Amino acid sequence: TIHGFYKEPENTIETLFLGASTAVNAFTPMELYEDYGICAYNLGTEQQPMLTSYYWLEEAYRFHSETLKNVVLECSMLRRTPQIAFYQKTIDHMKFSSIKYHAVKDYTEDFHEMLLYLVPIFSYHKRWASITDVDFEIINYKIKDYVRGYNFVTERYFNSEKYKESIISSYILDQEAEPAKFHQESLQYLEKIVNFCKEKGIRLILMKTPNINWSSSNHNAAAELAKNYKLDFLDFNFEPLSLEIDYNILDIADIDGHMNYYGASKLTSWFGKYLSEQCNVTDVRGNP
């Protein structure tokens, strides 16, 4: 994801996707380009803390300030702040700049730890104490820049021996459910994202991918935030949006409810139409 982002020509990305692995598996920018001519990049990462979503927004703007118009923020991580490893995993490969410095400074206040996270070779220097057999396995990971941050998965959890019908959501929203209490740090950085987008004239869209771990309480809390900030909030867990993309059990890749390619293709197609009609995107097909 990160290596591919830095290979993009400056001032070309117009739409940016941010969020956790649910976002990584949900949006395929090459189909947005093929079907709508939209130049987008998926900068989601595993359990991406809202703090690091904010700093990746700043970093994207640093390289694409003339073109960045729309930011689609998947809001799973409003619910919690993950372990320190996921901050580090998200920021490690960011190029060094004042943006990376402030990001690291924000998630660790200890100067010694801050130095370790800014220089990853020091951070991992003492890992020998926790090395196991898995560290010696050769895994042929290949950087797939051509998918522009998207995680291409075709597995269907429905075909798995572990499949249980209990993973199917009801799709009916309980509007009376008590709004969930989101994590304070996540709320703080959501506000920073909102203010940054407002200051730079970027349209911010709050959304939630279909996922079995998302509840009516979560929806009501996110909808309240969106209303307060005057943002569009698109939740594909419930009708009518779940019906509009024809989301079903064949679109689930695993027990955690990540979307496979079949689901991502549906959601991406819906978003392509939405971005084209509502967000003033440019059709760049034919632009070398």
Side-chain angles (χ1 to χ4, degrees), residues 6-287:
Y6 284 118
K7 290 181 180 178
E8 294 298 315
E10 290 190 22
N11 291 312
T12 54
I13 295 174
E14 192 174 74
T15 297
L16 186 70
F17 296 97
L18 292 168
S21 56
T22 43
V24 182
N25 280 50
F27 299 107
T28 159
M30 285 310 300
E31 292 201 7
L32 283 176
Y33 170 77
E34 184 177 352
D35 296 337
Y36 297 93
I38 297 169
C39 186
Y41 202 92
N42 190 331
L43 257 181
T45 56
E46 185 182 4
Q47 292 195 40
Q48 185 176 91
M50 202 62 66
L51 180 156
T52 58
S53 296
Y54 168 71
Y55 282 107
W56 270 114
L57 169 58
E58 280 205 7
E59 183 74 346
Y61 187 79
R62 182 161 78 99
F63 288 94
H64 301 276
S65 59
E66 294 178 17
T67 55
L68 190 59
K69 287 182 182 178
N70 306 297
V71 171
V72 179
L73 178 64
E74 208 278 348
C75 62
S76 293
M77 296 308 292
L78 284 172
R79 295 174 295 175
R80 66 184 187 277
T81 296
Q83 297 173 345
I84 194 72
F86 292 101
Y87 289 83
Q88 193 173 353
K89 187 173 184 177
T90 308
I91 294 295
D92 265 0
H93 297 287
M94 181 183 280
K95 288 186 175 181
F96 185 79
S97 68
S98 61
I99 293 172
K100 180 170 183 174
Y101 170 81
H102 284 111
V104 173
K105 186 172 182 292
D106 276 8
Y107 71 77
T108 176
E109 296 180 357
D110 181 273
F111 179 77
H112 178 69
E113 285 190 355
M114 186 173 151
L115 181 62
L116 295 183
Y117 295 140
L118 284 171
V119 188
I121 193 170
F122 295 143
S123 179
Y124 296 107
H125 184 64
K126 295 181 180 179
R127 266 202 79 240
W128 62 268
S130 59
I131 281 177
T132 64
D133 292 352
V134 74
D135 291 283
F136 295 93
E137 292 179 9
I138 297 174
I139 301 174
N140 294 318
Y141 284 126
K142 294 179 181 178
I143 297 173
K144 301 171 184 173
D145 297 340
Y146 53 85
V147 291
R148 302 171 73 87
Y150 168 63
N151 182 36
F152 182 78
V153 175
T154 56
E155 287 81 6
R156 283 176 162 147
Y157 188 63
F158 182 72
N159 297 333
S160 166
E161 293 179 1
K162 299 178 181 178
Y163 173 75
K164 297 177 183 177
E165 290 191 7
S166 60
I167 71 167
I168 305 173
S169 303
S170 70
Y171 307 123
I172 305 299
L173 176 66
D174 178 3
Q175 295 180 330
E176 303 301 317
E178 183 71 21
K181 301 293 183 186
F182 289 148
H183 197 277
Q184 195 56 44
E185 179 189 280
S186 298
L187 291 172
Q188 175 188 343
Y189 282 93
L190 172 63
E191 184 171 6
K192 288 173 77 73
I193 290 170
V194 170
N195 291 338
F196 184 89
C197 288
K198 187 180 296 185
E199 178 188 333
K200 304 300 182 184
I202 298 168
R203 180 165 183 163
L204 177 63
I205 300 135
L206 199 64
M207 66 83 59
K208 182 67 194 79
T209 58
N211 189 271
I212 56 169
N213 298 313
W214 186 257
S215 66
S216 292
S217 293
N218 294 143
H219 170 97
N220 292 342
E224 193 173 289
L225 284 170
K227 182 179 179 181
N228 292 341
Y229 287 125
K230 296 181 173 60
L231 304 175
D232 284 355
F233 175 52
L234 307 168
D235 191 343
F236 293 86
N237 286 278
F238 304 106
E239 297 178 0
L241 293 183
S242 62
L243 293 175
E244 288 185 21
I245 64 170
D246 187 29
Y247 180 69
N248 60 66
I249 56 174
L250 297 178
D251 301 325
I252 301 170
D254 54 38
I255 194 170
D256 295 316
H258 293 95
M259 301 183 85
N260 56 31
Y261 169 72
Y262 311 106
S265 185
K266 293 176 181 180
L267 184 62
T268 298
S269 178
W270 190 98
F271 253 92
K273 188 171 186 291
Y274 171 84
L275 290 167
S276 297
E277 294 177 354
Q278 305 289 331
C279 301
N280 192 32
V281 292
T282 308
D283 185 341
V284 298
R285 288 172 293 190
N287 180 342

